[in-house]
Amino acid sequence: MCGINGIAFSSRSGRTVSRPLLEAMRDVITHRGPDDEGIFIDHNVGLGHRRLSIVDVSRGHQPMTNEDATLHITYNGEIYNHADYRESLEAKGHVYTTHCDTETILHLYEEYGVNCVEHLRGMFAFAIWDQRKQELFIARDRLGVKPLYYFHTDDGSLYFGSEIKTIFAAGALKPELNYAALPDYLANHAPSGESTLFNGVKRLLPG
């Protein structure tokens, strides 16, 4: 288990990401990743990561970048078939510096863009910042094993994280009960769909 978080301020907001703000979001979920921590900031976009080291313990620092530092990923999960792609990706010129499944996601994104998820077998929640396209791609596994929550502001800015408390730690909104989701929660022990128990906070749907 790891923890991810991030911010993407819209151009309308006129804001840039500050390190203390991103760290506050990241460190409120230290329990998800006590072994390592990381931050990446590119003006109005920031990614944070708390790592529980399992694969390639010494070299799996995140957020991780690709060969030319144009892609940056923060990722939580396990890709069971990542080793199956290594030889073919290296044959296409991709350079690995670790044995982590994280790096395979980056190289698959370089090859297939957002369709990289069609090649992934496992459980995952990740965000990739593409500096060349100035696009943020966020994805979650088909069964929704790994959690990911987000909040859109009125000006189009985005906050996201593995737990809802990351969004509250950023001061993006006040915790207010979503009464519309309460009956669903009481009947099923969790709200269904994209709703959560907090107004404004949504769950990224599986797949």
Side-chain angles (χ1 to χ4, degrees):
M1 179 174 71
C2 294
I4 70 173
N5 68 282
I7 304 170
F9 287 129
S10 67
S11 57
R12 282 188 292 155
S13 75
R15 298 181 64 184
T16 56
V17 177
S18 73
R19 188 179 185 92
L21 178 63
L22 201 60
E23 288 177 342
M25 295 177 68
R26 180 198 67 191
D27 292 345
V28 77
I29 52 172
T30 297
H31 59 279
R32 297 186 67 91
D35 298 330
D36 193 17
E37 61 189 40
I39 288 287
F40 166 78
I41 296 174
D42 181 18
H43 303 293
N44 65 318
V45 173
L47 304 176
H49 191 266
R50 295 292 324 194
R51 186 184 183 208
L52 178 65
S53 302
I54 298 175
V55 178
D56 201 346
V57 173
S58 63
R59 292 182 295 175
H61 181 75
Q62 291 190 51
M64 186 179 288
T65 187
N66 64 334
E67 305 97 318
D68 61 5
T70 58
L71 300 176
H72 305 269
I73 185 173
T74 183
Y75 154 70
N76 170 34
E78 183 177 1
I79 305 303
Y80 307 134
N81 61 336
H82 74 98
D84 298 344
Y85 291 107
R86 182 165 184 139
E87 185 176 347
S88 62
L89 287 168
E90 287 180 326
K92 292 179 179 180
H94 296 282
V95 179
Y96 276 79
T97 59
T98 75
H99 292 282
C100 293
D101 50 355
T102 314
E103 198 169 6
T104 293
I105 299 173
L106 278 174
H107 296 318
L108 287 172
Y109 179 88
E110 289 179 293
E111 287 292 320
Y112 304 107
V114 298
N115 292 324
C116 66
V117 293
E118 298 177 6
H119 301 265
L120 304 178
R121 181 168 56 85
M123 51 184 179
F124 56 84
F126 65 78
I128 294 176
W129 172 237
D130 189 327
Q131 285 186 288
R132 280 187 280 199
K133 294 182 178 180
Q134 291 290 288
E135 290 180 356
L136 181 68
F137 173 51
I138 301 177
R140 191 173 174 219
D141 64 78
R142 296 164 186 82
L143 296 179
V145 177
K146 293 300 181 181
L148 194 63
Y149 301 92
Y150 68 94
F151 169 64
H152 263 129
T153 66
D154 292 338
D155 64 19
S157 298
L158 176 73
Y159 297 79
F160 67 89
S162 296
E163 297 185 18
I164 295 174
K165 65 177 68 175
T166 61
I167 298 170
F168 293 145
L173 78 167
K174 294 180 180 179
E176 294 181 349
L177 184 63
N178 177 10
Y179 288 97
L182 193 55
D184 195 7
Y185 174 82
L186 294 174
N188 302 302
H189 304 291
S192 57
E194 64 179 11
S195 297
T196 71
L197 280 177
F198 296 96
N199 278 328
V201 180
K202 294 183 178 180
R203 177 188 297 104
L204 186 66
L205 294 175

